[in-house]
Amino acid sequence: MTEETRTDQPAQSPPPENPPEDPGTPPTDTPPTDTPPGSARSLWRDRNFSIFWAAQTLSVAGDSFALIAVPLLILHTTGSVAQMGLLTGVSGAASVAAGVFAGVLVDRFDRRRLLIGCDLARCVLYALIPLAWLTGPHIWLLYAVLPLAAAVGMLFQVTYVSTVRSLVGDRHVTEANSRLYATAAAAGILGPMLAGVVAGVWGASAAIAVNAGSFAVSAIGVYLVRIPRHAPAAGQAGERSWRDLVAGAVFLWRHPVLRVLTVLLSFFIFLTLGLTDIVIFRLKHDLGQSDAVIGGVLGGAAVGTMIGSLVVARVRKRAGFGPTWIGAQTVGGLAIIAIGFTGGVWGVAVAMAGYLACVSVAGICSMSLRQQVTPDHLLGRVTSAFWTIHFSLGPVGAAALGWGAARFGTSAVFVFAGCCCLLLAAAALFTPVRLRHPEAAGAAVSGPR
């Protein structure tokens, strides 16, 4: 799930009076403060955010079906953990490729229409799988459909992140992200459990059909929400050069904290993108559990995501960004190691819950920081650049984890990945990421013009 918020009649935030000549240059005075009028009101009374919130929660609940069903579909058909890792890697590569252009589209076109179009496209793509499976297994179709769905999903996520801040403004962005993550996690608790039951009774393809329907629901929800039209800053609307594609990456590079976060999280995704596949394989192959039990374990583990989402705003407010982010990465690495040493279903569930709680805390922190320090006319491209770079190592890592689990066993993979995550957390202590309030540092953190 990825982010934004607003009021019933949100006002368009005006472009900066003197936008930087170079679109990739971060502002050197203060972070953007484009809080729309009325944003002081409680989010509980914000009709647009409430509808958006409900639609995305239902969408995530359905999407969690695919999280369980796709690996099970491959495992039932091929019995290969390497195939699971390979498909995850191919889909990740498609996301990276789409991310190169997603930001430009998000900053140029109407974000509401993009969200609806992405939801409808994914509805059709995922619906093809259960329809095709009526005549028998077609593994080749997964390699055709899922990468396309992943590419569309990347465009949706970039648009989603850029939309949330427009809905709620800077003042409520962390709270909005926290609520979106928390309810998504709550939906994710029931989703995997139901997915396991549906897959066990009607087959994994039926669970994917539920996911397809969830995207249709999300599209209807977004249609009912009024999202302010995005107005590019002066001098940006007609730009069609290669600089438009790299503007987001330039901004990331020139911002010391975002630069380091991007590098660290790129290695983190290398180590964790295929983690769920390995957990499913461990439960199914090593521990001999049923599909229903697997769904129950992952659904129960999602409690960790909900807990992390509920506490992140308060923890960050008290401890600051750096201690919160580094602490979450450290505990998350220990939780991954614990998965490798536990030999029981409950142990895997508890360790996964701890890991997901930490991912939630660290993810919301880094996402909110990007939203707070990035000018609105660049937010789509900065988000796109971040995720493109962030996921660039993920496909290789997912395939490598699958190969490692087949060659050395799942325990060795979990211990290796967890120890590497601890090293990343330790490295962050020697970088600007350790700052407590980088969002308020202004010129000291913005980097050169």
Side-chain angles (χ1 to χ4, degrees), residues 15-68:
E17 294 181 2
N18 297 298
E21 184 176 344
D22 182 347
T25 302
T28 55
D29 44 2
T30 56
T33 57
D34 54 331
T35 304
S39 63
R41 69 161 40 169
S42 169
L43 290 182
W44 295 106
R45 300 175 60 189
D46 190 323
R47 172 187 173 277
N48 277 326
F49 176 69
S50 297
I51 295 175
F52 186 81
W53 188 9
Q56 296 313 307
T57 299
L58 290 173
S59 177
V60 171
D63 210 17
S64 63
F65 273 64
L67 180 69
I68 304 296

Side-chain angles (χ1 to χ4, degrees), residues 73 76-77 132-141:
L73 201 62
H76 288 163
T77 306
W133 244 255
L134 292 175
T135 61
H138 300 281
I139 292 296
W140 65 268
L141 182 65

Side-chain angles (χ1 to χ4, degrees), residues 25-397:
T25 302
T28 55
D29 44 2
T30 56
T33 57
D34 54 331
T35 304
S39 63
R41 69 161 40 169
S42 169
L43 290 182
W44 295 106
R45 300 175 60 189
D46 190 323
R47 172 187 173 277
N48 277 326
F49 176 69
S50 297
I51 295 175
F52 186 81
W53 188 9
Q56 296 313 307
T57 299
L58 290 173
S59 177
V60 171
D63 210 17
S64 63
F65 273 64
L67 180 69
I68 304 296
V70 170
L72 287 176
L73 201 62
I74 299 172
L75 197 57
H76 288 163
T77 306
T78 68
S80 171
V81 65
Q83 283 267 38
M84 294 166 64
L86 180 60
L87 183 57
T88 299
V90 172
S91 298
S95 292
V96 172
V100 175
F101 306 98
V104 176
L105 296 175
V106 170
D107 284 339
R108 283 188 183 155
F109 297 103
D110 182 71
R111 291 169 179 171
R112 177 170 171 269
R113 292 181 180 179
L114 284 176
L115 288 173
I116 295 173
C118 289
D119 275 336
L120 294 178
R122 288 186 292 177
C123 175
V124 172
L125 287 171
Y126 276 104
L128 291 175
I129 297 174
L131 289 176
W133 244 255
L134 292 175
T135 61
H138 300 281
I139 292 296
W140 65 268
L141 182 65
L142 299 181
Y143 283 92
V145 168
L146 294 181
L148 285 175
V152 176
M154 171 61 84
L155 177 58
F156 179 90
Q157 296 296 342
V158 174
T159 311
Y160 173 88
V161 173
S162 304
T163 301
V164 172
R165 193 180 76 173
S166 300
L167 286 170
V168 292
D170 289 339
R171 180 172 181 174
H172 293 305
V173 69
T174 301
E175 180 187 358
N177 289 333
S178 176
R179 292 187 182 184
L180 285 163
Y181 264 82
T183 52
I189 294 171
L190 183 60
M193 294 179 180
L194 292 178
V197 173
V198 171
V201 177
W202 292 288
S205 61
I208 295 177
V210 175
N211 185 42
S214 73
F215 289 121
V217 173
S218 177
I220 295 172
V222 174
Y223 178 79
L224 296 175
V225 173
R226 284 177 287 183
I227 298 175
R229 286 184 175 273
H230 169 65
Q236 300 296 310
E239 188 175 83
R240 294 294 185 272
S241 69
W242 62 271
R243 293 178 63 191
D244 211 18
L245 291 175
V246 302
V250 171
F251 184 91
L252 289 174
W253 176 256
R254 292 181 176 178
H255 195 290
V257 179
L258 296 185
R259 177 172 66 239
V260 176
L261 274 177
T262 303
V263 173
L264 292 176
L265 288 172
S266 295
F267 286 104
F268 178 77
I269 202 69
F270 172 86
L271 298 166
T272 60
L273 182 61
L275 204 62
T276 300
D277 291 345
I278 309 304
V279 170
I280 291 175
F281 183 77
R282 181 174 180 81
L283 291 170
K284 187 74 175 179
H285 181 268
D286 297 351
L287 303 181
Q289 300 300 315
S290 66
D291 293 353
V293 171
I294 293 172
V297 169
L298 294 182
V303 172
T305 303
M306 183 172 61
I307 293 174
S309 302
L310 291 173
V311 304
V312 61
R314 182 175 302 177
V315 172
R316 181 182 172 183
K317 182 177 181 180
R318 292 184 177 180
F321 174 84
T324 301
W325 191 89
I326 295 174
Q329 292 292 344
T330 301
V331 178
L334 294 174
I336 295 174
I337 294 174
I339 298 174
F341 283 108
T342 185
V345 172
W346 281 107
V348 173
V350 171
M352 273 295 289
Y355 162 72
L356 292 176
C358 294
V359 169
S360 177
V361 170
I364 292 174
C365 276
S366 62
M367 178 174 61
S368 299
L369 178 64
R370 289 197 314 275
Q371 292 169 317
Q372 290 171 325
V373 302
T374 304
D376 189 61
H377 74 278
L378 273 177
L379 189 54
R381 282 168 287 177
V382 168
T383 301
S384 175
F386 172 79
W387 279 344
T388 299
I389 299 169
H390 174 45
F391 279 104
S392 60
L393 297 179
V396 179

